Amino acid sequence: MSGTRASNDLDEGLEIMTSTSPATGTGLDAATLERAIADALATVRRNVDAFGSRYPDDTTTDGRYALRPADRGIPLGGNRGWTTTFWTGLRWLAWELSGEEAFRAAAAADTADFARRVREAEDLDTHDLGFLYSLTAVAAWRLEQDADARDAAVLAAEHLMRRFLEPAGIIQAWGDLQDPAQRGRTIIDSLMNMPLLTWAGEQTGEERYPDAVRRHTAQLREHILRADDSTFHTFYWDAETGEALRGGTEQGAADESCWARGQAWGVYGFAMNYRVTGDERLLEAARRCADYFVAHLPADRVPFWDLIYTDGADAPRDSSSGAIAVNGLLVLAEVETDPARAAWAVETAHAILASLIEHYTPERPEDSDALLLHGVYDLPKDVGVDEGNLWGDYFYLEALMRVARPNWRAYW
Ligand code: GLY
């Protein structure tokens, strides 16, 4: 891991609101925050220049993003898979933080490509349509009232609804709906795909969207969250009868272990979906995910890739889980009904973010294409281990945005 970074020049004109001074004792003061944002913007700026309208791979290799490989007729650097959205989301965030036109233009051009992707029905067999269109087309609608982006996002939501399985009342996560290996399976990450449906419900007035959100999140709360407050990564339902069958993992250490990123998705996803459904059981689920996650952090507050590992383990960390959890804890604090719990969530979020800034970012922005180092994509398959990744970068900058500008309107 990198040590404490050298101080860097601050970008002129960077607007940081410090009205909510981070909690004392966490090491997250206004100067640290300002420097972290300036460094992050320097990297995004360099990547905009280097990549233009082409997309990088999911993770870095030795600290550098390569172009996304060609696959199934989609060319090198093309828009496929679930992570290109974070590249665009970073550009929207960078524009909001800096006001620089180059970021806005790059994000808008990407968004037009996302609109093309959904209209041409290219690589849409996934529940990740929520990730893919929230940080691109919904963001463009919220920020610029881009009507074409709005229509594309509604179309993406319509595609996502085709994955809603009756009578189980869940959205199938991966693959073709007829694929026996994937049929009836969902994953905890899916909580983050619900905001696209919530937004589509608001836009269209169609009740089937919020209804799907309520039913899917209730099923996850009931079955993917375990009695000890840890979570399964994935869970199967019988697609014909709707019966809940069994939990399992895909990216965790074992079926019964607790994959760190899944638990972080749980904190963020249950909190966000509580906000829109008002279902108190989702608030309780978010609290339980948060308590378990925080209780299983090592001394430096950044999780190992699976929460079965603790201090002293010879296992990689997943910085991206830490960044996701920071955002989740900050949203949990916003929706909390218990002031003491809300204060704890903010203080914990700031402590994790301070550690990410100090120990998990490059010494100098030019040392890596990633904003955040030391992530894990899929350790069992040896993909992206101890590397930067696109979602880690996105959630890190989203976390900086949330702390710097407490009134920021999220894209979700
Ligand atoms: N949503 C896929 C992952 O977190 O790896």
Side-chain angles (χ1 to χ4, degrees), residues 95-377:
W95 176 51
E96 288 204 81
L97 283 161
S98 69
E100 285 175 39
E101 169 58 19
F103 290 134
R104 193 208 63 78
D110 288 357
T111 299
D113 188 52
F114 274 90
R116 177 204 58 76
R117 176 172 167 176
V118 71
R119 290 192 177 114
E120 294 180 7
E122 200 170 88
D123 194 22
L124 305 183
D125 266 349
T126 171
H127 71 144
D128 288 324
L129 289 165
F131 279 115
L132 287 167
Y133 285 85
S134 293
L135 306 181
T136 59
V138 173
W141 170 248
R142 292 199 196 281
L143 294 169
E144 299 212 288
Q145 294 73 55
D146 177 339
D148 190 63
R150 176 202 173 275
D151 293 348
V154 171
L155 183 58
E158 165 59 37
H159 273 276
L160 184 51
M161 281 299 291
R162 295 178 199 168
R163 305 183 72 77
F164 188 73
L165 303 184
E166 293 284 13
I170 56 129
I171 300 246
Q172 181 175 315
W174 292 317
D176 187 280
L177 294 175
Q178 303 313 322
D179 177 353
Q182 299 298 345
R183 196 160 158 70
R185 184 189 208 187
T186 195
I187 68 175
I188 191 159
D189 323 28
S190 64
L191 292 168
M192 302 296 292
N193 290 317
M194 297 300 106
L196 179 67
L197 299 182
T198 299
W199 174 86
E202 290 162 6
Q203 292 293 315
T204 63
E206 292 181 38
E207 193 52 34
R208 66 194 174 111
Y209 290 111
D211 191 52
V213 172
R214 275 190 296 274
R215 291 182 60 197
H216 180 83
T217 54
Q219 285 285 47
L220 264 66
R221 184 207 71 230
E222 202 59 34
H223 298 289
I224 219 157
L225 181 59
R226 295 183 285 221
D228 69 353
D229 302 344
S230 67
T231 51
F232 286 115
H233 177 196
T234 88
F235 203 94
Y236 291 89
W237 278 258
D238 184 314
E240 316 312 325
T241 66
E243 186 192 354
L245 297 176
R246 66 184 181 285
T249 199
E250 189 69 28
Q251 285 161 255
D255 286 342
E256 301 301 323
S257 75
C258 184
W259 180 50
R261 197 154 61 252
Q263 194 76 12
W265 292 137
V267 178
Y268 199 172
F270 280 125
M272 260 198 313
N273 285 297
Y274 163 63
R275 169 139 64 196
V276 295
T277 60
D279 180 347
E280 300 279 342
R281 291 165 301 181
L282 300 187
L283 173 59
E284 197 49 36
R287 287 172 174 160
R288 289 169 58 194
C289 286
D291 287 350
Y292 188 95
F293 185 88
V294 174
H296 289 80
L297 291 177
D300 80 351
R301 308 289 226 159
V302 175
F304 287 92
W305 70 279
D306 192 294
L307 300 182
I308 55 169
Y309 299 107
T310 52
D311 275 317
D314 182 21
R317 305 302 181 87
D318 177 26
S319 57
S320 75
S321 300
I324 293 161
V326 172
N327 290 287
L329 287 164
L330 292 174
V331 173
L332 178 57
E334 285 169 13
V335 299
E336 254 301 347
T337 50
D338 175 345
R341 276 188 162 273
W344 168 83
V346 171
E347 188 154 344
T348 306
H350 288 174
I352 298 172
L353 183 56
S355 184
L356 289 173
I357 294 170
E358 185 172 358
H359 301 297
Y360 292 81
T361 56
E363 291 275 335
R364 299 167 305 158
E366 58 270 31
D367 291 345
S368 175
D369 292 343
L371 277 52
L372 198 58
L373 308 176
H374 308 302
V376 169
Y377 187 179

Side-chain angles (χ1 to χ4, degrees), residues 15-23 28 30 33 37 93 96-97 268 275 326-327 329-335 346 350 353 397-411:
E15 181 202 343
I16 306 281
M17 292 185 203
T18 53
S19 55
T20 56
S21 269
L28 189 59
L33 198 57
I37 291 174
L93 286 175
E96 288 204 81
L97 283 161
Y268 199 172
R275 169 139 64 196
V326 172
N327 290 287
L329 287 164
L330 292 174
V331 173
L332 178 57
E334 285 169 13
V335 299
V346 171
H350 288 174
L353 183 56
L397 193 55
E398 186 183 295
L400 293 173
M401 171 70 102
R402 284 184 184 280
V403 178
R405 297 189 184 178
N407 297 324
W408 175 67
R409 172 63 173 95
Y411 310 144

Side-chain angles (χ1 to χ4, degrees), residues 84-100:
T84 49
T85 183
F86 301 111
W87 192 243
T88 305
L90 279 167
R91 293 168 170 197
W92 284 125
L93 286 175
W95 176 51
E96 288 204 81
L97 283 161
S98 69
E100 285 175 39

